Amino acid sequence: MSMASEELEKLAIKAANEAIQLERQGYKSMAVAKYTRAVDILKQLCTLYPGSYQNKVYSDYIKQYERRIRELGGQETVVKPVNEKKADSMILREKPNVEWKEVVGLEDAKNAIEDAIVYPSQRPDLYPAGWPRGILLFGPPGCGKTLVAAATANKINAAFYNVDAASIMSKWLGESEQNVAKLFENARLVSENGQPAIIFIDEIDSLVGVRTEEVGGEIRMRNQFMKEMDNITDKGKSFHVYVIGATNKPWSLDQPFLRRFQKRIYIPLPDFDARKRMFQLYSKKLLGISSDVDWSELARLTEGYSGSDVKDIFQDVNSKVIREFFKSGNFKDENAKPRSVTMKDFLEVLEARKSSVSLELLKNYTIWSERYKAL
């Protein structure tokens, strides 16, 4: 297997794993988007390497992911041949169903997003000096960066372009800069027709991070990206195209790209109040909650946990009760229900599940934020 095919395979696995995680969290449309991306990449692999012994495995995964897309209410992906001169098949456009109210806490970040995107979209005449079009969201994994971007798109009814590295970094195809140009051209056309457009690039450091060595395709792609960013941030332009970049490693971003993100917003771990609200919000999805569950105590015990960590706790608690229900044999009775979740269940799960974010990593975010943040 060549280096290029190995990289594509890694990207497909990453997209599929993210889809599974999003599906577990209840974000069906975003899960469909990631499953679609995984299928897209696997089909590219089959086309690029028709004689590969791995193609049977890829085909099986394609069928599996397409079946899941249908079950979640999405459409199967149709991928154009990779040698076409169009990047439409590389562009993923979806309508997020994430509400603003689902972004728990993060008041500073939401205020900054409203100032940069929401208000200018509603009353551009109030901004004669222009407004920011480049927004960087940085912070620990699992704290809501993707959620913030999707909720923003939904709030202003924007076309949402959810772009990953596989969509642009096709250096082995020699089309990277064309993909970047096509992406921005598509977004501008949408904006010119009256609808805002948000280009969301997750793990943007993989595209525009510091490089010790670059090949020609990478250089052209990065130059094209800077050119497009300069175009949308021109104060003389009135169209509503925004680039939201998300990264867990802001210190890896190259300086020329960093300054093109006029807003640099820290998405931190949820504080006490946010964790308590998360527990209360997620509890509505459980079959039953005992009156002895103390949300304040659970919020205290989960200091240092990410939002994703808190959601995983609920999945584990629910699985614990359902496992007990099945082992009891009561599931055979259609009228039987699992027992309510108790405080003891939460405490037992917390004993086995710790925070996924290290203190050392948090210190790095604090240092970088103090130097570069721009709310």
Side-chain angles (χ1 to χ4, degrees):
M1 183 180 289
S2 70
M3 184 178 298
S5 62
E6 287 180 359
E7 187 64 23
L8 277 172
E9 186 176 286
K10 288 178 183 177
L11 291 169
I13 293 171
K14 178 178 179 294
N17 288 338
E18 289 176 348
I20 293 169
Q21 184 69 13
L22 287 165
E23 185 181 344
R24 287 174 177 170
Q25 294 175 353
Y27 302 118
K28 292 184 179 180
S29 68
M30 297 173 72
V32 166
K34 290 296 183 180
Y35 279 127
T36 302
R37 175 51 53 204
V39 170
D40 186 352
I41 300 168
L42 290 172
K43 286 185 175 180
Q44 288 183 47
L45 273 168
C46 291
T47 304
L48 284 169
Y49 307 100
S52 173
Y53 70 93
Q54 290 285 82
N55 278 8
K56 175 64 169 63
V57 177
Y58 297 153
S59 297
D60 290 342
Y61 276 115
I62 288 170
K63 292 177 183 177
Q64 177 184 331
Y65 298 151
E66 287 187 333
R67 182 175 66 252
R68 204 69 203 107
I69 289 168
R70 292 194 299 271
E71 291 171 350
L72 292 172
Q75 300 294 324
E76 290 187 24
T77 179
V78 177
V79 181
K80 299 177 181 179
V82 294
N83 60 354
E84 285 197 14
K85 295 302 182 181
K86 295 182 179 180
D88 297 295
S89 65
M90 312 287 279
I91 296 172
L92 180 60
R93 182 177 169 185
E94 62 169 293
K95 174 66 175 175
N97 63 350
V98 181
E99 299 290 338
W100 196 246
K101 63 183 178 182
E102 293 181 54
V103 183
V104 178
L106 301 178
E107 297 306 321
D108 288 344
K110 288 191 287 188
N111 289 338
I113 289 288
E114 286 179 331
D115 291 342
I117 298 179
V118 178
Y119 300 149
S121 296
Q122 295 171 342
R123 288 291 304 274
D125 57 300
L126 300 178
Y127 295 83
W131 57 86
R133 266 86 163 205
I135 294 92
L136 179 69
L137 306 177
F138 66 93
C143 289
K145 294 183 286 294
T146 302
L147 196 66
V148 168
T152 302
N154 195 30
K155 190 172 180 66
I156 64 171
N157 192 31
F160 190 54
Y161 297 83
N162 192 347
V163 183
D164 60 19
S167 303
I168 294 179
M169 292 189 69
S170 304
K171 59 188 176 185
W172 45 86
L173 299 180
E175 296 182 347
S176 298
E177 65 272 22
Q178 295 179 40
N179 293 339
V180 172
K182 184 68 177 180
L183 172 64
F184 280 84
E185 177 189 357
N186 198 309
R188 282 195 298 272
L189 286 173
V190 167
S191 176
E192 289 169 1
N193 287 326
Q195 183 183 19
I198 290 179
I199 298 172
F200 175 65
I201 305 177
D202 197 10
E203 296 187 0
I204 196 168
D205 51 279
S206 67
L207 296 178
V208 296
V210 176
R211 298 282 193 275
T212 54
E213 294 183 3
E214 290 183 316
V215 297
E218 287 182 310
I219 294 172
R220 291 193 298 272
M221 181 276 293
R222 289 156 67 85
N223 288 340
Q224 185 70 40
F225 192 90
M226 281 195 287
K227 176 183 175 181
E228 300 291 351
M229 285 288 289
D230 288 340
N231 187 30
I232 67 166
T233 55
D234 186 341
K235 292 183 175 62
K237 304 290 185 180
S238 59
F239 50 70
H240 295 274
V241 176
Y242 304 91
V243 175
I244 300 180
T247 178
N248 302 329
K249 298 181 287 185
W251 41 82
S252 297
L253 293 175
D254 212 350
Q255 288 292 327
F257 293 97
L258 185 61
R259 67 179 180 82
R260 285 169 168 80
F261 290 97
Q262 302 100 315
K263 290 287 185 179
R264 297 180 289 276
I265 304 169
Y266 183 29
I267 306 296
L269 293 176
D271 60 17
F272 175 87
D273 289 335
R275 294 195 303 276
K276 182 177 178 180
R277 287 166 58 193
M278 285 178 183
F279 274 110
Q280 293 169 329
L281 177 66
Y282 299 151
S283 68
K284 296 176 182 177
K285 297 184 179 181
L286 294 182
L287 296 176
I289 298 288
S290 174
S291 59
D292 73 333
V293 175
D294 186 338
W295 304 125
S296 295
E297 178 63 9
L298 290 174
R300 184 188 69 81
L301 292 171
T302 50
E303 182 177 1
Y305 283 60
S306 70
S308 181
D309 289 336
V310 172
K311 201 153 195 173
D312 288 343
I313 289 169
F314 270 86
Q315 292 176 2
D316 287 354
V317 165
N318 185 68
S319 296
K320 179 178 183 297
V321 173
I322 298 302
R323 181 173 62 250
E324 178 184 307
F325 178 66
F326 271 84
K327 287 188 175 297
S328 71
N330 291 335
F331 71 94
K332 297 176 182 178
D333 181 355
E334 293 183 358
N335 296 318
K337 301 290 184 184
R339 65 172 176 81
S340 296
V341 173
T342 67
M343 186 67 174
K344 181 181 177 183
D345 294 319
F346 278 106
L347 294 176
E348 289 179 356
V349 166
L350 283 174
E351 278 295 316
R353 176 175 285 279
K354 304 304 179 183
S355 170
S356 61
V357 183
S358 69
L359 290 175
E360 182 180 355
L361 187 60
L362 291 176
K363 290 178 182 177
N364 291 337
Y365 288 124
T366 301
I367 293 170
W368 197 90
S369 179
E370 287 301 316
R371 182 175 181 183
Y372 292 109
K373 69 179 177 182
L375 295 176

